[in-house]
Amino acid sequence: QVQFVESGGGSVQAGGSLRLSCTVSTNSFRISPSGWFRQTPGKGRELVARIGSGGNEFYVTTVKGRFIVSRDNTKNMMYLQMNNLKPEDTAVYFCSVWIGGQLNWGQGTQVSVSS
């Protein structure tokens, strides 16, 4: 079973920055695509950013140019650097890993952005 330890969430004012970190306990991490999702009350989880095992990146339009996804395969860690945060970025953020075609989730960390 894949286990996750997320950290870095919190509360900031609009325009501020946060960095989310996630440690993933699986021997398959280095060969598995990983990503960050977010969810607000009453809505489904939205893919925010994805990074392949080789480092290729994808961002949803609303965060492109503000967020940076990265990973360190030597430490089984993934990161989401969030800059110029906006109130609409407020959500619970989940790190995730695709293993064998199955999506595995972290426990989530709250990010709150005030105007």
Side-chain angles (χ1 to χ4, degrees):
Q1 184 176 354
V2 183
Q3 294 184 329
F4 300 81
V5 178
E6 295 189 42
S7 62
S11 299
V12 295
Q13 290 188 329
S17 297
L18 284 173
R19 188 190 194 212
L20 305 182
S21 299
C22 179
T23 303
V24 186
S25 65
T26 172
N27 292 330
S28 303
F29 180 75
R30 65 179 180 84
I31 62 171
S32 302
S34 60
W36 292 90
F37 288 73
R38 65 187 178 187
Q39 186 170 21
T40 54
K43 294 187 178 180
R45 290 183 187 182
E46 169 195 33
L47 177 64
V48 174
R50 185 178 185 268
I51 182 166
S53 56
N56 52 306
E57 301 167 24
F58 164 83
Y59 299 93
V60 68
T61 302
T62 51
V63 308
K64 202 168 187 178
R66 300 188 296 121
F67 290 12
I68 301 171
V69 63
S70 60
R71 60 191 289 163
D72 185 340
N73 290 339
T74 66
K75 298 180 180 178
N76 272 33
M77 292 192 71
M78 51 191 293
Y79 309 94
L80 185 66
Q81 176 68 43
M82 303 184 293
N83 301 319
N84 190 21
L85 282 160
K86 303 177 180 181
E88 51 264 42
D89 294 319
T90 295
V92 177
Y93 285 71
F94 300 85
C95 57
S96 62
V97 174
W98 284 267
I99 298 176
Q102 182 175 356
L103 190 58
N104 299 269
W105 306 98
Q107 77 279 9
T109 185
Q110 177 70 46
V111 171
S112 299
V113 185
S114 59
S115 57

